[in-house]
Amino acid sequence: MIETQSVSFQYPGDKIIAFQDFSIKKGEHTLLLGESGSGKTTLLHLISGLLRGYKGSIHFLQQELNTLSESQLDQFRAQHIGFIFQKNHLISALTTEQNLMLAPYLATKKSDKERIHYLLNRLGLEKKKNANVKTLSQGQAQRVAIARALVNQPAVLFADEPTSALDDKNCDVVIDLLLEVANESKATLIMATHDQRVKNKISKQIILNS
Ligand code: ADP
Ligand code: MG
């Protein structure tokens, strides 16, 4: 479902980051490993269409991302991709449920209350449905971010360093939960991490060199 060839990217005035070629099949959960600064976040942002202007080719569900206009790319992302950012990017003025309802709205899909309530229950957030996200613990907020990324039933779920702030126990819990909910939602999980604790959880690995 994703195939890259000779992809490279340059931030203005910075050195060129060249990425190895890889392909990821549907359902093939994948770890993107590498030291801090090796380009994991950059690569996730390129594959998910958040960052434009790369050289080479990225095929994603039969589309070459370079050929899509900015608004086509927004639509493509909204339809097919869920993203869990390193910082959770929740809207702090809204409640848990309102944050989840925003995802279909932005994708111009009908908001599916059943789906939202399924995810809230699944992630142990039913009691926090009407809580302002400002009042949630870090772990709860992270689960809201996971739920939000899954609301639109994306084909691919990207997660950028989802365990970096967690102790060993919660690290385990979050990875297992991510894998379970990704499988239930038939989403392919692509996770960037420098966290060695995660290494044995997913066998397909792409290792970036600094
Ligand atoms: P990782 O996620 O593996 O830590 P990044 O993709 O964040 O790596 O960074 C790769 C390289 O690109 C680093 O050298 C970093 O300093 C640089 N970089 C990242 N984001 C920006 C940016 N917005 N502007 C300029 N350089 C950046
Ligand atoms: Mg990063």
Side-chain angles (χ1 to χ4, degrees):
M1 72 184 344
I2 299 173
E3 197 163 354
T4 71
Q5 246 175 354
S6 310
V7 173
S8 65
F9 184 79
Q10 185 172 27
Y11 289 102
D14 210 341
K15 64 180 194 306
I16 295 170
I17 311 173
F19 298 100
Q20 62 184 289
D21 297 349
F22 62 86
S23 65
I24 297 172
K25 297 192 188 74
K26 185 172 161 50
E28 191 175 40
H29 304 315
T30 302
L31 275 185
L32 227 54
L33 295 168
E35 293 302 309
S36 177
S38 60
K40 301 181 296 297
T41 297
T42 302
L43 184 57
L44 282 193
H45 287 186
L46 289 173
I47 317 172
S48 57
L50 287 164
L51 190 59
R52 308 192 71 190
Y54 58 85
K55 292 216 166 70
S57 100
I58 301 175
H59 271 92
F60 194 147
L61 295 170
Q62 274 85 47
Q63 299 254 29
E64 166 54 62
L65 294 186
N66 254 341
T67 66
L68 301 180
S69 69
E70 192 115 10
S71 63
Q72 286 173 322
L73 209 48
D74 287 345
Q75 204 43 234
F76 181 86
R77 208 168 43 241
Q79 298 284 343
H80 302 297
I81 291 173
F83 209 108
I84 300 162
F85 293 91
Q86 197 159 357
K87 296 208 175 87
N88 69 41
H89 289 252
L90 298 174
I91 313 279
S92 64
L94 301 180
T95 68
T96 296
E97 189 182 36
Q98 287 165 340
N99 265 279
L100 299 188
M101 285 167 61
L102 213 52
Y105 173 74
L106 294 174
T108 59
K109 281 186 178 176
K110 235 177 78 197
S111 152
D112 179 348
K113 284 229 166 188
E114 232 171 84
R115 172 86 181 144
I116 287 173
H117 290 139
Y118 164 76
L119 287 168
L120 287 174
N121 281 317
R122 186 65 188 80
L123 294 168
L125 292 163
E126 57 281 74
K127 291 209 180 83
K128 295 293 175 185
K129 188 173 99 167
N130 297 315
N132 188 299
V133 294
K134 274 197 299 252
T135 66
L136 301 181
S137 73
Q138 195 184 17
Q140 289 163 342
Q142 193 184 31
R143 280 181 277 135
V144 177
I146 293 173
R148 185 187 51 181
L150 286 165
V151 170
N152 292 337
Q153 304 216 259
V156 179
L157 177 61
F158 290 100
D160 194 0
E161 307 273 7
T163 59
S164 55
L166 303 176
D167 59 30
D168 290 353
K169 178 165 166 275
N170 282 303
C171 172
D172 244 31
V173 169
V174 164
I175 297 302
D176 291 345
L177 188 62
L178 262 174
L179 285 167
E180 280 169 31
V181 291
N183 286 333
E184 286 166 17
S185 300
K186 298 192 168 47
T188 306
L189 176 65
I190 301 178
M191 178 160 61
T193 188
H194 73 282
D195 188 341
Q196 295 299 318
R197 298 173 300 180
V198 175
K199 263 176 90 171
N200 298 326
K201 294 276 187 181
I202 296 175
S203 58
K204 162 116 182 180
Q205 308 188 339
I206 297 165
I207 299 167
L208 304 194
N209 299 306
S210 310

